[in-house]
């Protein structure tokens, strides 16, 4: 029971670190979050937070990428050092902890995505939970929660609030997070 509580706590901490949400109340001179969301939706872009930065290191800035473009049309094959899940779509690009980070979503199940990476990634698989796994770039890395290290994190969205927290589509079932130097 304690181990399960630790896993749930770690998953919550991981989700919070990805969203990089602040707890500060908006100031009277700042627009409300709903006004900002409306402006973002009208502009067709995802909101950025202070901790999540659109990176200039990747070939094309995120705000110049249409949602319906294939990643292969946007980034060169050398830009992402991992295999791309064939039925996924990119929904965020940024940087965090000194790493380039690209988030993908798919309607496919966690099990299907994990099976694909088990056969294609050629990386150590660090199992954490039945709906969360990390593939590490280092053979000495044995911490499935070390999201500050480069690799691939796959996790299942278990609720609408989890999808909303990271900006994924309502029908997304699985999240694929790729981080690299």
């Amino acid at each position: 029971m304690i181990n399960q509580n630790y896993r749930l706590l770690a998953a919550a901490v991981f989700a919070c670190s990805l969203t990089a949400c602040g707890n500060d109340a908006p100031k009277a001179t700042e627009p409300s979050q709903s006004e900002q969301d409306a402006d973002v939706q009208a502009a067709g872009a995802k909101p950025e937070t202070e901790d999540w930065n659109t990176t200039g290191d990747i070939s094309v800035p995120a705000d110049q990428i249409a949602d319906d473009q294939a990643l292969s049309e946007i980034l060169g094959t050398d830009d992402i050092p991992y295999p791309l899940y064939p039925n996924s779509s990119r929904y965020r690009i940024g940087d965090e902890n000194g790493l380039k980070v690209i988030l993908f979503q798919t309607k496919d199940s966690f099990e299907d995505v994990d099976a694909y990476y088990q056969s294609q990634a050629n990386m150590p698989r660090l199992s954490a939970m039945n709906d969360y796994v990390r593939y590490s770039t280092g053979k000495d890395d044995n911490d499935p929660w070390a999201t500050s290290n480069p690799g691939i994190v796959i996790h299942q969205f278990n609720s609408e609030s989890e999808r909303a927290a990271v900006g994924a589509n309502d029908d997304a079932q699985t999240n694929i997070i790729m981080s690299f130097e």
Side-chain angles (χ1 to χ4, degrees), residues 41-67:
Q41 286 177 349
K46 299 279 187 218
E48 290 186 33
T49 66
E50 291 177 26
D51 296 320
W52 180 270
N53 301 308
T54 300
T55 183
D57 295 335
I58 296 178
S59 300
V60 179
D63 61 354
Q64 295 179 13
I65 301 171
D67 288 335

Side-chain angles (χ1 to χ4, degrees), residues 60-75 88-91 93 104:
V60 179
D63 61 354
Q64 295 179 13
I65 301 171
D67 288 335
D68 60 348
Q69 282 183 295
L71 192 65
S72 59
E73 295 173 12
I74 301 162
L75 302 174
S88 65
S89 63
R90 179 221 40 94
Y91 67 99
I93 295 177
F104 296 88

Side-chain angles (χ1 to χ4, degrees), residues 79-142:
D79 289 334
I80 300 176
Y82 312 124
L84 300 178
Y85 186 72
N87 195 27
S88 65
S89 63
R90 179 221 40 94
Y91 67 99
R92 290 183 80 182
I93 295 177
D95 58 69
E96 194 168 312
N97 296 322
L99 299 171
K100 297 174 189 172
V101 181
I102 302 178
L103 279 65
F104 296 88
Q105 60 191 349
T106 182
K107 296 178 187 178
D108 296 348
S109 72
F110 168 84
E111 292 79 12
D112 290 343
V113 175
D114 187 30
Y116 173 83
Y117 281 101
Q118 284 184 47
S119 68
Q120 299 294 317
N122 196 25
M123 299 164 65
R125 181 182 184 276
L126 309 176
S127 181
M129 296 170 56
N130 62 352
D131 61 356
Y132 175 98
V133 66
R134 186 168 74 86
Y135 288 83
S136 176
T137 58
K139 297 204 184 298
D140 295 332
D141 183 358
N142 60 3

Side-chain angles (χ1 to χ4, degrees), residues 7-8 10-15 17-18 110-111 114 125-135 143-149 151-158 162 174-175 177:
R7 289 178 178 175
L8 291 173
V13 168
F14 176 73
S17 70
L18 283 178
F110 168 84
E111 292 79 12
D114 187 30
R125 181 182 184 276
L126 309 176
S127 181
M129 296 170 56
N130 62 352
D131 61 356
Y132 175 98
V133 66
R134 186 168 74 86
Y135 288 83
D143 184 357
W145 306 107
T147 57
S148 60
N149 293 337
I152 302 169
V153 171
I154 303 166
H155 84 279
Q156 174 179 304
F157 289 120
N158 293 311
E162 284 183 13
T174 306
N175 199 27
I177 305 162

Side-chain angles (χ1 to χ4, degrees), residues 24-40 47:
D24 298 336
K27 297 177 182 166
T29 59
E30 294 179 8
S32 70
Q33 184 63 38
S34 61
E35 290 170 342
Q36 290 175 0
D37 289 345
D39 291 342
V40 165

